[in-house]
Structures are given as C-alpha cells and as structure tokens.
Amino acid sequence: MDVTSAGPTSTGVALLAGLGLLAGCGSSAADGGAGSSGSAAPTVTVQAGGDQIPVDPTQYCRDGDGQRYATTPPIIEVTPDTTISLTVPDAVAEAGWGVQVYDQDLQELIGEVDVPAGDAVFSEINTSDAAPPTFYLVVVEDSDPEACSGLSGAWPVGFIRTDGGSTSTTTPSESPAG
C-alpha cells in the first residue's frame, strides 16, 4: 500500500465538514435519504476477514444536489495483518475514488491511498498498515467542482485492531467493545 502523508486538502475539508454534521443533520429515509427507495445514495462494501459489510455514505452528490445523511459508520474488530477489501459501485469507480485514513476520533487525517482509475475493488490495505490500533478508513469519491459545490461522496468505516481474537462488527446501535 502506498500511503501518502496528508496535508489539508479541499477534499479533506469538505469531508470533515460533512462528518462534523453527521450527528445532527441530513436527510432521512422518509425524505429521500440513504436507505429509501428510488434514487438512494449508493453503498460501498468492506470486508476484512469476515462477511462483507455495507457502508452507507455520510454525504453524497446526487443529481447535482449535495446530500448529507445522519448515519453512523460501522466499526469492525479486526486482527493484525488482515487484508481490507473495499468495493464501490461502478458509478463511483468511473468517477474515481481514494481512501483517506483517519485517527480513532475521525478528526486527524493520517494519510491517503490512491486507487487506480476505474477500479471498483481495492484490496491493498492491511489492518496493520495504520499505526494506531483504532482508525477509520473513509472511501472518498473524487469531487466535481461544478456539481454540489465540490461536495464528494464519503463512506467512513472504523476499525479496532485486536490482539488476534475473533473478529466481529458493531452496528450503529452498539458501542465498540474496549
């Protein structure tokens, strides 16, 4: 994995702004947000040794309109040296995407990983690549400055690296063991 050191970027700023509003703002399923029928925002999937886990976006540019969603990222317990596989929908792959690595509080950008153009699956991240044992990966769709004021799609997922015991996933209604 080629992780580049992260500095302030417009994508990171837009992402942090969206994640900062995560808890109190956004569309709901009743008003066309993620999880509703029709033109719902796409999900990505993550797999780290176990089942594929769907990840809903916290923000997405849909039909030229920036949407923010009140979703809670999944948190996955993982063992050291486990491959993390991320899969995005074809539309996201065509637009381009990358992965940002954040600290356990989803506040400090630790690094960025470039994904080859057009790839829908990326499996070159290992659970031991990030220095802290608790971290977030955020799938970030390349933004179009002409659409949604540059707002891009963002799908965060948390990881807790354990000492090698069994892996499990916490759901948004659970809190991580620790």
Side-chain angles (χ1 to χ4, degrees):
M1 172 182 80
D2 183 25
V3 176
T4 58
S5 179
T9 65
S10 60
T11 303
V13 171
L15 176 65
L16 285 177
L19 292 175
L21 297 172
L22 176 69
C25 174
S27 301
S28 68
D31 63 7
S36 68
S37 60
S39 60
T43 60
V44 302
T45 58
V46 62
Q47 186 171 13
D51 294 331
Q52 287 189 343
I53 308 295
V55 180
D56 291 324
T58 55
Q59 62 188 40
Y60 189 69
C61 180
R62 181 174 48 185
D63 301 327
D65 187 27
Q67 302 289 315
R68 298 188 196 278
Y69 305 97
T71 61
T72 301
I75 299 174
I76 303 171
E77 284 187 14
V78 293
T79 56
D81 296 318
T82 300
T83 298
I84 298 172
S85 180
L86 301 162
T87 305
V88 301
D90 289 340
V92 174
E94 290 172 16
W97 61 288
V99 182
Q100 295 179 343
V101 183
Y102 279 87
D103 68 349
Q104 69 182 12
D105 298 320
L106 204 55
Q107 295 296 315
E108 182 183 340
L109 182 60
I110 297 170
E112 296 179 272
V113 180
D114 292 326
V115 175
D119 284 4
V121 178
F122 188 74
S123 299
E124 295 183 30
I125 298 176
N126 182 292
T127 57
S128 294
D129 287 340
T134 302
F135 59 96
Y136 280 87
L137 296 180
V138 182
V139 172
V140 179
E141 184 177 26
D142 292 350
S143 63
D144 177 356
E146 301 299 316
C148 300
S149 301
L151 179 78
S152 65
W155 296 263
V157 59
F159 295 89
I160 299 173
R161 194 172 50 238
T162 63
D163 61 4
S166 64
T167 59
S168 65
T169 303
T170 61
T171 61
S173 61
E174 299 173 323
S175 50

